[in-house]
Amino acid sequence: MRAFFIDATNQTSFGEVAFPELADDNVLLKVERVGLCGSDLNTFRGLNPLVSFPRIPGHEIAGTIVRCGSAVPDRFKPGQLVTLIPYQNCGHCVACKDGRINACTDNRTMGVQREGAITEHIAVAHAKLVSTRLTDLNALALIEPLAVGFHAVARAAVTARDRVAVFGCGAIGLGTMAFRSRSKPLACRRPSSRR
């Protein structure tokens, strides 16, 4: 099966990897779309200290379920479009118990501490799947980075009355601006010179 590798700083290649094995609680996904994240770019540039080379990047994905393991709930079916939560967490540390799985002391993010999704198929624990009614594969692959922006606004408890500056309008910055608090969207505004 073909995969894209970041082999070393500023070096990439295509290569072959084994077809993923399907555990009982896993689904086999055909990777349909993968967004390239700033962390993937930093990996390519050699600026991500958490990555060892070679690494298959990619954690912003849209996929189609091909097959389900024997312990996968019936709500997941072959042919269904999904995205996923790219963090593999322990479930036992303080951060996990507090629901902050991205801050797990043993976090293993796809494309960073473990192989990512720029390949033809991946096997994923069903608990990490996010089902949706979206049918646009590009939009589906944007859920993860937009959710990071939504999460930032929620954690900061931003309200419609707050003024917020967003530096950088990539997918995460756009997610930050799109988050609606009290049914009013946040917007980028030029700061007033008057106080």
Side-chain angles (χ1 to χ4, degrees), residues 87-139:
Y87 309 112
Q88 183 177 328
N89 58 298
C90 73
H92 306 293
C93 69
V94 172
C96 285
K97 288 180 180 178
D98 194 34
R100 297 178 302 113
I101 61 171
N102 61 315
C104 174
T105 57
D106 192 31
N107 176 41
R108 296 178 40 79
T109 302
M110 292 180 71
V112 181
Q113 296 94 344
R114 62 188 176 111
E115 300 301 3
I118 303 184
T119 186
E120 297 173 61
H121 292 86
I122 58 173
V124 179
H126 72 82
K128 297 297 182 182
L129 294 181
V130 177
S131 60
T132 177
R133 292 186 299 255
L134 288 176
T135 57
D136 182 304
L137 295 169
N138 295 325

Side-chain angles (χ1 to χ4, degrees), residues 63-76:
T64 302
I65 296 176
V66 174
R67 193 168 63 239
C68 297
S70 61
V72 173
D74 290 340
R75 70 179 184 272
F76 297 112

Side-chain angles (χ1 to χ4, degrees), residues 1-146:
M1 180 176 70
R2 302 273 293 161
F4 175 79
F5 291 89
I6 299 175
D7 297 308
T9 300
N10 298 319
Q11 295 179 17
T12 63
S13 67
F14 286 94
E16 294 290 323
V17 294
F19 199 83
E21 293 184 23
L22 191 64
D24 289 344
D25 67 339
N26 283 184
V27 298
L28 178 66
L29 295 181
K30 177 179 185 239
V31 177
E32 304 284 0
R33 299 284 190 282
V34 179
L36 290 176
C37 179
S39 63
D40 299 319
L41 181 58
N42 282 338
T43 296
F44 173 74
R45 291 176 172 166
L47 301 175
N48 191 337
L50 302 174
V51 173
S52 60
F53 296 112
R55 176 67 64 216
I56 299 171
H59 59 265
E60 301 172 357
I61 82 157
T64 302
I65 296 176
V66 174
R67 193 168 63 239
C68 297
S70 61
V72 173
D74 290 340
R75 70 179 184 272
F76 297 112
K77 305 217 179 298
Q80 182 177 358
L81 294 177
V82 294
T83 189
L84 56 80
I85 299 167
Y87 309 112
Q88 183 177 328
N89 58 298
C90 73
H92 306 293
C93 69
V94 172
C96 285
K97 288 180 180 178
D98 194 34
R100 297 178 302 113
I101 61 171
N102 61 315
C104 174
T105 57
D106 192 31
N107 176 41
R108 296 178 40 79
T109 302
M110 292 180 71
V112 181
Q113 296 94 344
R114 62 188 176 111
E115 300 301 3
I118 303 184
T119 186
E120 297 173 61
H121 292 86
I122 58 173
V124 179
H126 72 82
K128 297 297 182 182
L129 294 181
V130 177
S131 60
T132 177
R133 292 186 299 255
L134 288 176
T135 57
D136 182 304
L137 295 169
N138 295 325
L140 188 56
L142 285 171
I143 288 176
E144 193 274 340
L146 291 173

Side-chain angles (χ1 to χ4, degrees), residues 160-172:
R161 295 176 53 133
D162 293 322
R163 289 186 179 192
V164 177
V166 177
F167 294 91
C169 288
I172 294 171

